[in-house]
Amino acid sequence: MKTTKRTSNRDKALNTAEHLFLTKGFLLTSMDEIVAESKVSKTNIYYHFKSKEELLGAVTERLVGRYEELIREAGSRSGLTIPQRIAAIGDLLMRGEDDFLGGCPFLTLYVQTSREAGFVRERIGRFFREQTVYLEALLAEGVRSGELRASLEPGPAAALIVSGIEGALFLQHASPDSTYMQQVLCALAQLLK
């Protein structure tokens, strides 16, 4: 007999908060809305999270963990060249939900977070720094293997890739033109050769 795992009240609240924070905005989402949509009592939510900011921190950590895992998986695919792995990372990020307010979940949370919740801003900043370092290592591997041009500087190129992908996510979201990401990935591939 197969048993199904029941979603805990904590996870229901987190799922609901994540959805509302990313589609409506942290500042415009009330705890009462999270209670109503999650069907978890306010007392139960406050048992797990002492404040809305603490709930935001948990949502951020969960998103960071999920994206780190996906990026590492795409970046470590054997049988793909370094440029193909970088394209896979871009494709992965492009498949995010279309209804994120800023195109990217991290941009959406960052701009909605007050200075009082600086720990969330710091965590998002650390996430991007870590992804830049990860891409720098991939690019250095590509230079060593001869897949990328020998004169490529991995550090600045990694910063350009992260900036280009983030900018493309926002522009693709803000514009009726849905080709920004493909254009950015093609341009980056040309720059890496």
Side-chain angles (χ1 to χ4, degrees), residues 2 13 42 66-67 69 75 79 91 99 114 137 145-146 183 188:
K2 186 176 183 179
K42 190 180 279 191
R66 189 165 54 230
Y67 274 83
E69 184 178 321
D91 288 341
D99 54 357
S114 69
S145 71
Q183 291 177 19
L188 290 171

Side-chain angles (χ1 to χ4, degrees), residues 116 170 173 177:
E116 290 76 38
F170 172 73
H173 182 74
D177 183 356

Side-chain angles (χ1 to χ4, degrees), residues 8-11 13 31 35 40-52 54-55:
S8 70
N9 284 335
R10 182 182 190 283
D11 286 339
M31 289 300 281
V35 167
V40 176
S41 73
K42 190 180 279 191
T43 305
N44 201 315
I45 292 174
Y46 278 115
Y47 172 78
H48 295 288
F49 309 100
K50 304 303 177 223
S51 65
K52 187 172 134 183
E54 189 174 308
L55 182 55

Side-chain angles (χ1 to χ4, degrees), residues 14-163:
L14 266 173
N15 292 339
T16 301
E18 179 179 322
H19 172 74
L20 290 172
F21 292 167
L22 294 175
T23 58
K24 184 176 180 179
F26 172 74
L27 297 175
L28 296 176
T29 299
S30 70
M31 289 300 281
D32 289 335
E33 287 175 286
I34 295 169
V35 167
E37 196 164 313
S38 69
K39 302 195 181 357
V40 176
S41 73
K42 190 180 279 191
T43 305
N44 201 315
I45 292 174
Y46 278 115
Y47 172 78
H48 295 288
F49 309 100
K50 304 303 177 223
S51 65
K52 187 172 134 183
E53 287 76 17
E54 189 174 308
L55 182 55
L56 174 64
V59 165
T60 302
E61 281 300 328
R62 191 167 76 160
L63 274 171
V64 163
R66 189 165 54 230
Y67 274 83
E68 284 176 339
E69 184 178 321
L70 291 170
I71 289 168
R72 296 297 188 271
E73 187 276 322
S76 65
R77 290 182 185 161
S78 61
L80 295 182
T81 66
I82 298 298
Q84 288 171 331
R85 292 184 209 176
I86 292 169
I89 291 169
D91 288 341
L92 165 95
L93 296 174
M94 190 172 62
R95 282 187 267 137
E97 292 187 32
D98 292 335
D99 54 357
F100 293 156
L101 290 176
C104 164
F106 301 107
L107 176 62
T108 298
L109 292 179
Y110 189 90
V111 299
Q112 286 282 315
T113 303
S114 69
R115 297 209 185 274
E116 290 76 38
F119 62 95
V120 171
R121 289 175 165 227
E122 187 282 323
R123 183 63 184 107
I124 291 170
R126 187 166 24 108
F127 167 76
F128 283 115
R129 287 189 303 276
E130 290 168 355
Q131 298 324 301
T132 303
V133 168
Y134 179 73
L135 281 173
E136 183 177 355
L138 271 179
L139 293 170
E141 179 185 329
V143 169
R144 281 190 306 275
S145 71
E147 294 177 62
L148 303 176
R149 62 183 168 82
S151 62
L152 181 75
E153 294 184 42
L160 178 64
I161 290 169
V162 170
S163 300

